[in-house]
């Protein structure tokens, strides 16, 4: 085989691999993000996020108490320093977590994935239940689908 033939063969094989490679679906990306249990796991999902992606966190307490809402740009987290766990949450422990139930829909070519997880917890001796809802919004970016925004609602009502 001549060098030209070897190069052409390599190009054909590489092209075939690129064309047959399956991109992750929004559902698969969402499941991977939800499965990340630590900082290393989340870092492994970094290429699944849009550079300007935002994460909105909503805490619903009920009993006429206002919701707490926090929003941050996901890319800013890389530059942030580690935050200390507030004293109020030191004794908070999840005791059981269901497998997320996922639903999908597409509106105007924008993919939405919603995952609902039931969580049982113990907090300072009180056993309770909480429903976590993660709403992912995906958009095309650089030839693939990436997370444009995520809203996570922790519902303690």
């Amino acid at each position: 085989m001549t060098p030209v033939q070897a190069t052409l063969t390599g190009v054909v094989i590489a092209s075939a691999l690129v064309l047959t490679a399956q991109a992750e679906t929004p559902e698969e990306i969402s499941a991977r993000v939800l499965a990340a249990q630590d900082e290393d796991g989340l870092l492994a999902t970094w290429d699944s996020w849009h550079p300007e992606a935002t994460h909105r966190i909503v805490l619903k307490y009920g009993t006429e108490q206002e919701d707490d809402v926090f929003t941050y740009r996901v890319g800013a987290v890389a530059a942030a320093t580690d935050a200390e766990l507030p004293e109020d949450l030191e004794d908070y422990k999840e005791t059981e977590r269901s497998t997320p139930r996922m639903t999908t829909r597409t509106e105007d070519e924008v993919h939405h994935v919603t995952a609902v997880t039931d969580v049982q917890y113990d907090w300072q001796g009180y056993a309770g239940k909480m429903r976590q809802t993660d709403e992912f919004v995906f958009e095309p970016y650089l030839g693939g689908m990436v997370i444009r925004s995520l809203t996570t609602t922790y519902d303690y009502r």
Side-chain angles (χ1 to χ4, degrees):
M1 181 179 288
T2 68
V4 172
Q5 289 173 319
T7 301
L8 288 173
T9 302
V11 168
V12 168
I13 291 172
S15 297
L17 289 173
V18 167
L19 292 173
T20 60
Q22 294 291 324
E24 280 187 300
T25 66
E27 296 85 355
E28 292 167 331
I29 295 170
S30 300
R32 196 163 46 91
V33 169
L34 292 172
Q37 295 296 311
D38 56 20
E39 190 173 330
D40 289 336
L42 286 172
L43 286 174
T45 70
W46 193 247
D47 62 344
S48 300
W49 295 84
H50 188 280
E52 298 298 320
T54 58
H55 185 195
R56 181 173 181 246
I57 299 171
V58 179
L59 296 162
K60 294 185 169 290
Y61 305 108
T63 62
E64 299 181 20
Q65 186 175 352
E66 282 191 40
D67 298 346
D68 282 330
V69 180
F70 309 94
T71 302
Y72 64 93
R73 196 172 66 79
V74 174
V77 171
T81 59
D82 288 339
E84 290 185 29
L85 188 65
E87 279 185 37
D88 291 348
L89 296 177
E90 281 182 14
D91 293 328
Y92 182 90
K93 293 176 186 71
E94 289 185 4
T95 56
E96 191 175 326
R97 175 176 278 273
S98 71
T99 302
R101 295 176 305 282
M102 299 178 99
T103 58
T104 62
R105 71 183 196 287
T106 303
E107 295 174 8
D108 299 324
E109 298 183 32
V110 176
H111 297 276
H112 300 262
V113 176
T114 301
V116 178
T117 308
D118 294 313
V119 177
Q120 294 184 19
Y121 65 89
D122 184 82
W123 189 9
Q124 299 175 348
Y126 172 79
K129 295 179 182 180
M130 178 265 294
R131 176 162 287 169
Q132 177 179 331
T133 304
D134 294 284
E135 299 174 88
F136 294 87
V137 177
F138 287 84
E139 71 177 36
Y141 182 74
L142 297 178
M145 294 300 285
V146 295
I147 302 166
R148 184 63 171 107
S149 68
L150 169 60
T151 299
T152 301
T153 302
Y154 299 99
D155 191 344
Y156 290 94
R157 298 177 294 176

